[in-house]
Amino acid sequence: MLFILEHPREIRFFYAAIIFLSASASGLIMDCPGSIAMGLLITSVIALGASLQNPRIFPWLLFLFIFFMGLTLASRAGQTAPEIDLSFKSGFSGIILEPVEIKNGKIQAITRVIRLTGDSPDFLLNQKILLKINGDKILPFIRDTICFSGKIRSVPAAKNPDTFCQKKYYQNKGIYYASYAQENEIFLNSFAGFHILNFADRISRKLTGRINAIIPDSSAASFITAIFLGDKSGLSQEVKQAFSKTGAAHVLAVSGLHVGIIFGILAWLIGLPGRGSFIRRILKCLAILASIWIYACITGLSPSVQRAACMLSIYVIGRTGNRHAPALNVVGFVACLVVALNPKIVLHIGFQFSFGAILGILLFYQPIKRMIYMPFGWLASLWSMCAVTLAAQVFIFPLSIYYFNQFPLPFLLASIVAIPVTAFLLSGTMAACIISLISFPFAILAGRLLAILYSILFSFLSFLEKWQPASWSTLKMDISQMFLLFGLIIFLVLFLEKRKKYLLVLAGCFLFLFHCAIRMDIAEKSGQRKFSIYHRYQDCVLSIMEGRKMYFFEGDKNSWTDQYLLSPQVVSSRIKKLNRENLFDQYVTYPEFLKYDGHFFWDSIHILIVDDRLKVHENLTELYPADLVVFAQHDPAILEKINCKKGTVAVICASIPPWDRDALRDVCAIYGLPVYDISMDGAFSMTIHNELNDQLHE
């Protein structure tokens, strides 16, 4: 990408930052050993010192040193903590590190252990713990000390394939353990001193109460609280879905957009510190920096907020001293600073989306804007907003498909409406909170106007959501396909701006490689043959995949199964035809398999489902010994009636209570049957290849 930048020598720091970030991400993904990374770093330092007199080799060795430095930081941060599952309760004391969240009447807090009692292992000291409290009456602030008694265990991994992995998400935040406590087991000790995060958390709580008081509509109040303070706990599922499917979800999460709006309001009120006397510029600089960082602390210091606050701080300081630095260097410096403080943040979705959006704007805003000439004032402003939105999507588009398997089509129209409305709501909320200190009735009137504006925005996005197709919701890409799509989009945008044939050739090459990768993935999925039993506490849910056809068996249909079991499987396996059947129907037949009561016959494999709602025919088990026995209910006596052969596997569903699972494992051990416990090991999967060759894996 060097040739697309006008002054490559001026932004060498940006190139170094890209190398550092790439090394950090590679070290975390590949789990590079720390000793190897440190050895490479020391070797690069020695080579760097030996090449000081050689100006041709020195820059390349410097970049190599930066790469190994990022690799070393990532390898040290990537060290995982040991797995534990304490069967006894112990006492702990911890400090609240982040604003608490309230979900379904339960409090969720991030604490750092500062004191242990009982027989708890010593390595838990200074570890971050995800604490879930059953109740919502105790609301601690950041830096408060909380004493609790509970069992500490490792954060559980995802039990079903291709679903959100809570373990991986929290590990990227440096959290490996979780604990659960009742509200009556909690003792809270409030922080007595002064800390900026504690102060900001208290202001956030007061502002939340003030917003709820001046805005009568609870839905509008929850939305404004989310975009102003970053607290999304009160948002309904309908609101989240409307913003997500229309491409306006970035409005809900406090990010650089919101910090930029606050900065614009401050610049309009007091002006930028670029003019006037030195003392006046210093005072403006301090006022703006203090306001930005207090607001960043109030909203929780998410990666996108950190990036925006750091960039604006550098910009304001530069204007105060009449200095200017290339924007790409500033972005690179901020990214390296954030990753150096917390290397795991480079894998955080918010970090990638935030820096991806700002890089897209800096690199492609002007080329996209120059594609269409707008001579008139308001049309030029409208096209500028469209160009910014399109430029931000250059890097967001592949990330959105990779992480969420969807891309909203009306994102441009939604952003054109949502961004100005959000700016007006933020400024109006600030004004209403200030007015409430003087005249509460006028503040309530302002709150009603804000609620009306929110209802108009929500109605507009709901209308866009109903437009079919509102989004591509069945897209799938792996990481290699994502990078190929990156290359295709970048070179295509560059060709439209520069009109160079070699750029079109490069875009065509990336398109060809991307198409080949997709077709190879589809060909692989067309040959899949898999039987799966999923993790679900209420009932037994299973599926049979024959190529890109899926037969899904369940008891009662519900939205949880559709969202967390069926939809991820349909997308990841590229299912083209879906057949949903009732597990308790007596007779189901397809060309690929036959189901008769509790018996599945699939490619010479006999699968037996043990459930009192499904009849087991002993004569069938005599003729066809069971290859797989699936216990959907506790019935160990069934093993005496059925015919098992060598290699038969028993699978215990998660719907069976823990005490019955233990009894079933003991009985299966007597009969010499290997046991797969879905509640412990996650979803069960059996794959068949050309001949009868069953492979068991998680």
Side-chain angles (χ1 to χ4, degrees):
M1 263 174 74
L2 301 182
F3 58 87
I4 73 172
L5 304 170
E6 296 180 358
H7 304 288
R9 292 186 177 181
E10 295 182 4
I11 53 173
R12 286 179 177 174
F13 187 87
F14 174 71
Y15 301 150
I18 294 296
I19 294 173
F20 178 80
L21 296 176
S22 302
S24 300
S26 302
L28 290 172
I29 294 174
M30 297 186 301
D31 196 15
C32 179
S35 57
I36 296 178
M38 182 60 71
L40 293 173
L41 179 64
I42 294 174
T43 303
S44 65
V45 171
I46 295 173
L48 193 66
S51 63
L52 289 175
Q53 304 300 324
N54 193 333
R56 292 184 177 181
I57 302 178
F58 181 78
W60 298 102
L61 291 177
L62 180 61
F63 282 156
L64 195 64
F65 164 74
I66 293 171
F67 180 85
F68 289 141
M69 183 171 62
L71 196 66
T72 303
L73 286 176
S75 62
R76 295 177 64 87
Q79 298 175 356
T80 59
E83 297 280 335
I84 62 170
D85 188 359
L86 300 183
S87 59
F88 54 88
K89 284 189 175 182
S90 298
F92 303 90
S93 296
I95 296 178
I96 303 295
L97 300 179
E98 299 179 7
V100 298
E101 299 180 7
I102 301 177
K103 296 181 178 179
N104 300 323
K106 296 182 180 180
I107 295 175
Q108 184 171 295
I110 307 298
T111 65
R112 188 180 75 246
V113 177
I114 59 174
R115 189 178 297 109
L116 300 171
T117 59
D119 298 329
S120 301
D122 294 336
F123 65 80
L124 288 175
L125 198 63
N126 293 321
Q127 287 283 350
K128 292 182 180 180
I129 291 181
L130 173 65
L131 177 61
K132 296 184 178 181
I133 305 172
N134 189 16
D136 57 358
K137 295 181 180 179
I138 298 178
L139 294 176
F141 295 97
I142 296 178
R143 304 301 299 177
D144 286 352
T145 302
I146 188 169
C147 304
F148 61 96
S149 176
K151 299 178 182 179
I152 289 187
R153 61 196 62 180
S154 298
V155 177
K159 298 296 185 181
N160 290 302
D162 304 306
T163 56
F164 171 73
C165 184
Q166 185 178 210
K167 184 184 186 73
K168 185 177 180 181
Y169 172 77
Y170 282 108
Q171 280 186 353
N172 289 337
K173 299 178 69 174
I175 302 170
Y176 299 94
Y177 305 109
S179 182
Y180 306 85
Q182 298 295 325
E183 202 167 38
N184 55 8
E185 300 175 336
I186 297 295
F187 176 76
L188 184 64
N189 185 16
S190 298
F191 182 71
F194 176 80
H195 194 280
I196 184 62
L197 294 179
N198 180 272
F199 173 71
D201 197 16
R202 292 179 182 275
I203 291 179
S204 176
R205 204 78 62 83
K206 290 181 179 180
L207 288 174
T208 301
R210 185 59 58 94
I211 291 172
N212 291 327
I214 63 178
I215 299 178
D217 185 0
S218 59
S219 178
S222 300
F223 174 77
I224 291 176
T225 302
I227 66 171
F228 186 46
L229 302 175
D231 182 10
K232 297 186 288 186
S233 59
L235 291 175
S236 64
Q237 191 63 32
E238 291 77 10
V239 174
K240 293 179 181 179
Q241 184 173 341
F243 279 81
S244 175
K245 288 192 173 183
T246 56
H250 59 282
V251 170
L252 294 178
V254 176
S255 59
L257 169 66
H258 304 71
V259 178
I261 292 173
I262 298 298
F263 173 75
I265 295 173
L266 292 172
W268 179 73
L269 290 174
I270 63 177
L272 291 174
R275 298 179 180 178
S277 62
F278 179 74
I279 299 297
R280 188 175 180 180
R281 282 183 289 167
I282 291 293
L283 293 177
K284 284 184 179 181
C285 176
L286 294 177
I288 292 176
L289 292 180
S291 301
I292 289 174
W293 282 103
I294 289 176
Y295 178 72
C297 293
I298 288 174
T299 57
L301 281 175
S302 65
S304 56
V305 172
Q306 293 179 28
R307 187 267 307 163
C310 288
M311 287 189 63
L312 288 175
S313 299
I314 295 173
Y315 172 73
V316 171
I317 293 173
R319 282 190 63 97
T320 303
N322 292 322
R323 299 282 184 177
H324 173 72
L328 288 173
N329 282 350
V330 175
V331 173
F333 171 77
V334 172
C336 290
L337 178 63
V338 173
V339 172
L341 295 176
N342 181 15
K344 288 189 175 182
I345 205 171
V346 75
L347 299 180
H348 195 281
I349 295 178
F351 176 88
Q352 296 174 11
F353 272 71
S354 175
F355 280 92
I358 193 63
L359 281 179
I361 292 172
L362 292 176
L363 292 174
F364 298 107
Y365 164 65
Q366 290 296 338
I368 293 176
K369 183 181 177 182
R370 286 194 293 264
M371 290 180 187
I372 301 177
Y373 174 69
M374 290 292 178
F376 303 105
W378 66 274
L379 284 177
S381 301
L382 182 63
W383 172 239
S384 295
M385 185 181 297
C386 294
V388 170
T389 304
L390 291 172
Q393 294 298 324
V394 169
F395 292 115
I396 297 301
F397 174 62
L399 290 173
S400 179
I401 298 177
Y402 176 71
Y403 283 111
F404 305 116
N405 301 319
Q406 66 176 7
F407 183 76
L409 296 179
F411 72 92
L412 185 59
L413 186 57
S415 297
I416 290 174
V417 176
I419 291 176
V421 172
T422 300
F424 188 85
L425 287 174
L426 285 176
S427 57
T429 302
M430 294 176 62
C433 290
I434 296 173
I435 292 173
S436 65
L437 301 175
I438 304 172
S439 175
F440 203 77
F442 281 102
I444 293 179
L445 178 61
R448 289 178 178 175
L449 294 176
L450 294 175
I452 293 173
L453 186 60
Y454 158 74
S455 64
I456 294 173
L457 174 62
F458 179 66
S459 299
F460 175 74
L461 295 180
S462 299
F463 171 76
L464 289 181
E465 180 192 0
K466 295 177 182 178
W467 174 65
Q468 295 295 332
S471 65
W472 293 337
S473 57
T474 57
L475 302 175
K476 177 187 177 295
M477 286 195 311
D478 58 26
I479 192 167
S480 61
Q481 295 164 2
M482 181 186 69
F483 282 112
L484 290 174
L485 185 58
F486 268 127
L488 168 62
I489 295 174
I490 290 172
F491 286 113
L492 186 60
V493 172
L494 290 175
F495 167 74
L496 294 176
E497 196 265 337
K498 294 181 177 294
R499 304 293 178 178
K500 300 291 185 180
K501 290 184 179 180
Y502 71 93
L503 295 175
L504 183 60
V505 171
L506 290 173
C509 292
F510 275 95
L511 177 61
F512 175 75
L513 294 175
F514 178 74
H515 177 74
C516 291
I518 295 293
R519 298 309 302 177
M520 290 175 61
D521 191 23
I522 292 176
E524 180 184 354
K525 295 296 187 293
S526 298
Q528 65 185 349
R529 306 185 67 200
K530 185 165 63 174
F531 175 83
S532 301
I533 308 172
Y534 301 101
H535 182 282
R536 185 184 171 198
Y537 289 112
Q538 292 81 6
D539 213 339
C540 178
V541 179
L542 55 91
S543 69
I544 294 177
M545 293 185 191
E546 286 282 351
R548 298 180 68 186
K549 292 188 293 185
M550 181 178 186
Y551 305 94
F552 192 79
F553 291 86
E554 59 186 330
D556 299 327
K557 294 182 179 180
N558 58 66
S559 58
W560 188 92
T561 302
D562 293 344
Q563 182 177 358
Y564 296 104
L565 290 184
L566 185 57
S567 296
Q569 287 295 291
V570 169
V571 173
S572 63
S573 301
R574 296 189 181 275
I575 298 301
K576 194 174 182 179
K577 183 179 180 181
L578 174 65
N579 299 280
R580 302 186 68 168
E581 302 290 344
N582 193 313
L583 180 63
F584 305 111
D585 287 345
Q586 182 182 18
Y587 190 77
V588 179
T589 179
Y590 283 96
E592 294 83 5
F593 70 93
L594 167 68
K595 175 193 177 297
Y596 180 58
D597 282 331
H599 302 266
F600 278 84
F601 295 95
W602 174 53
D603 198 291
S604 303
I605 292 181
H606 182 196
I607 302 168
L608 182 63
I609 310 296
V610 179
D611 192 296
D612 58 7
R613 291 166 287 185
L614 293 170
K615 186 177 180 180
V616 175
H617 301 271
E618 296 183 24
N619 58 337
L620 288 177
T621 61
E622 289 293 334
L623 293 173
Y624 307 101
D627 297 277
L628 193 67
V629 181
V630 181
F631 286 96
Q633 284 189 351
H634 177 63
D635 188 8
I638 196 68
L639 294 176
E640 300 177 359
K641 304 176 183 179
I642 63 176
N643 183 18
C644 296
K645 63 182 182 180
K646 185 178 180 181
T648 300
V649 177
V651 178
I652 302 176
C653 294
S655 57
I656 299 179
W659 50 89
D660 288 338
R661 292 199 297 266
D662 296 337
L664 275 175
R665 279 194 292 267
D666 295 337
V667 174
C668 290
I670 295 174
Y671 284 88
L673 297 181
V675 177
Y676 188 99
D677 193 342
I678 292 179
S679 63
M680 298 177 60
D681 303 321
F684 172 87
S685 181
M686 179 173 65
T687 303
I688 294 182
H689 297 291
N690 294 329
E691 299 179 356
L692 182 59
N693 179 25
D694 51 321
Q695 299 178 344
L696 306 181
H697 57 86
E698 296 184 24

